[in-house]
Amino acid sequence: MTINGIDHLELYVGDARQAAFYFDNAVGFRLRGQGGPETGLDGQRSLLLAQAGIRLLLTTGLSAEHPAATYVHRHGDGIAVVALAVDDAAGAYAELVARGATALSPPRTFTGADAEVVVAEVGGFGDVVHRLVERRGDPEVFLPGAIEPVAAPDGDSLLAEVDHLAICVPPGQLDETVAHYEKVFGFADIFTEHIEVAGQAMNSKVVQSPSGTVTFVLLEPDTGARPGQIEDFLRWHAGAGVQHLGLRTDDIVTAVGALAGRGVRFASTPGAYYDGLEQRVGRLDAPVDRLRELSILVDSDHDGQLLQIFTESMHVRRTLFLELIERRGARTFGSGNIKALYEAKERELAAAGATPGVAAGGVSA
């Protein structure tokens, strides 16, 4: 079994058209397909959006019993299906189930004039499902007979591909989740870290497919520290799930400028963060003043630098949000920015005459 990458992500949402409006008008995705009862998708309405190598399927349940409706009722809008591209969906399904995966949907074939697509589903983490997708023929045909193509002008090419998914799991479930992906999916544990700042702490492990094309950053709260944003997510999401979707861009300065101009709200960064930035991470290609203006963060590891920024959550529960990331050699995920952001906020508060460590809101591990 070979996992070739993320084929698509399916979000279960309360209103597919409203969600599509945000991803289209603000983030630069374009409508590429649609389906519903008239195309054989019983009890649901789905819209397919795409940008470069990223495909998002937005699905709304049309009845209270539909899985999308029950998911949204429990978790709010969120990523419910992580679809994995494979060479042989039936073979991968059989192998994964034999290794201990929960069997959900056996292989099913969708056939059209120009393509054939085989899909099957197994359990992932929490209520999130892994859909195995095998494509034959035209790769642009998404799901023949179920999702009808929509002719639309090309959109942005600001975002290139899915870089990673950040997944929060309840306390005590990190190691078992990692072991599950190692044993069942053949992923490797490539990075482990304990992050602690301002009395808050979390454990993090990164698992990656052998192809290097699917990466999950798994986060677990440290219950020995005071609660932070991981506990907040788990509470409002009602269990494990995707906290944020990391999207790689080749030019983060241009991408952030464009998206901010369309109304995407990004997390702000204290101005003091940029004091001595080059001393901390090395020489930068981008002007520090421009990074400061856009609140773009920079971190480094042995392989190079990365630039990143997080959007504010699009949802009332403050759960799922997006990360834009530009990799300039770096292979890690910017954990050094957590401490740097906290220290920057402390300096700003001290300069303003506030008491450091008391009112440093907005930075949480």
Side-chain angles (χ1 to χ4, degrees):
M1 179 187 67
T2 301
I3 296 174
N4 300 314
I6 291 180
D7 184 88
H8 65 276
L9 300 169
E10 184 169 12
L11 285 77
Y12 286 167
V13 297
D15 187 330
R17 290 193 176 94
Q18 184 180 54
F21 183 84
Y22 174 83
F23 280 107
D24 185 326
N25 289 276
V27 192
F29 284 79
R30 288 295 178 266
L31 183 66
R32 288 287 180 260
Q34 58 186 1
E38 67 280 1
T39 65
L41 296 179
D42 294 337
Q44 70 184 64
R45 180 69 58 194
S46 292
L47 300 175
L48 175 67
L49 284 79
Q51 180 174 171
I54 311 162
R55 287 187 287 203
L56 304 178
L57 186 64
L58 309 177
T59 294
T60 295
L62 301 180
S63 68
E65 296 75 25
H66 191 275
T70 57
Y71 184 98
V72 170
H73 178 73
R74 180 179 182 188
H75 302 294
D77 291 6
I79 295 175
V81 179
V82 179
L84 306 173
V86 297
D87 295 329
D88 178 359
Y93 174 82
E95 185 171 349
L96 290 171
V97 172
R99 292 181 183 178
T102 301
L104 298 178
S105 298
R108 180 184 177 189
T109 302
F110 295 81
T111 303
D114 301 315
E116 187 173 77
V117 180
V118 184
V119 300
E121 294 180 346
V122 298
F125 50 87
D127 289 335
V128 175
V129 170
H130 288 310
R131 180 174 296 143
L132 310 171
V133 183
E134 173 191 352
R135 297 191 177 278
R136 307 168 185 164
D138 187 349
E140 297 302 315
V141 177
F142 184 74
L143 203 62
I147 300 293
E148 296 295 335
V150 172
D154 291 338
D156 286 347
S157 57
L158 295 172
L159 307 175
E161 63 182 0
V162 175
D163 184 86
H164 65 276
L165 278 71
I167 298 158
C168 296
V169 299
Q173 293 188 15
L174 179 62
D175 289 341
E176 67 181 62
T177 304
V178 170
H180 177 75
Y181 277 94
E182 289 178 320
K183 174 189 173 185
V184 176
F185 292 88
F187 282 32
D189 181 352
I190 64 169
F191 188 72
T192 300
E193 188 171 26
H194 178 77
I195 301 169
E196 185 173 355
V197 61
Q200 303 172 23
M202 63 181 173
N203 299 310
S204 174
K205 291 191 175 185
V206 180
V207 296
Q208 190 174 75
S209 64
S211 63
T213 55
V214 181
T215 304
F216 296 155
V217 179
L218 298 163
L219 307 168
E220 171 194 65
D222 182 342
T223 56
R226 68 183 180 89
Q229 64 171 320
I230 308 303
E231 286 92 343
D232 189 60
F233 173 90
L234 292 168
R235 181 173 66 254
W236 287 105
H237 186 265
V242 178
Q243 181 210 44
H244 72 261
L245 170 60
L247 301 174
R248 189 182 64 78
T249 175
D250 294 321
D251 184 350
I252 195 169
V253 171
T254 298
V256 173
L259 270 57
R262 299 177 194 155
V264 175
R265 298 181 63 176
F266 291 95
S268 61
T269 302
Y273 167 88
Y274 298 93
D275 298 339
L277 179 61
E278 290 193 315
Q279 286 74 20
R280 182 169 64 86
V281 301
R283 184 179 179 277
L284 298 166
D285 291 334
V288 174
D289 287 347
R290 183 62 171 155
L291 299 177
R292 185 196 303 265
E293 177 187 353
L294 296 172
S295 288
I296 294 172
L297 308 171
V298 186
D299 200 12
S300 62
D301 60 23
H302 293 301
D303 297 300
Q305 294 178 349
L306 66 84
L307 289 77
Q308 64 185 156
I309 192 170
F310 301 92
T311 70
E312 295 183 2
S313 177
M314 306 91 78
H315 305 300
V316 68
R317 295 197 191 193
R318 306 195 311 272
T319 50
L320 180 67
F321 56 93
L322 305 178
E323 174 188 359
L324 273 59
I325 183 167
E326 179 185 343
R327 294 191 178 277
R328 299 179 178 179
R331 301 174 62 188
T332 48
F333 301 90
S335 59
N337 278 320
I338 296 175
K339 183 178 180 181
L341 281 168
Y342 179 78
E343 291 175 345
K345 190 66 176 179
E346 292 285 274
R347 290 194 299 271
E348 282 198 341
L349 290 169
T355 302
V358 174
V363 179
S364 60

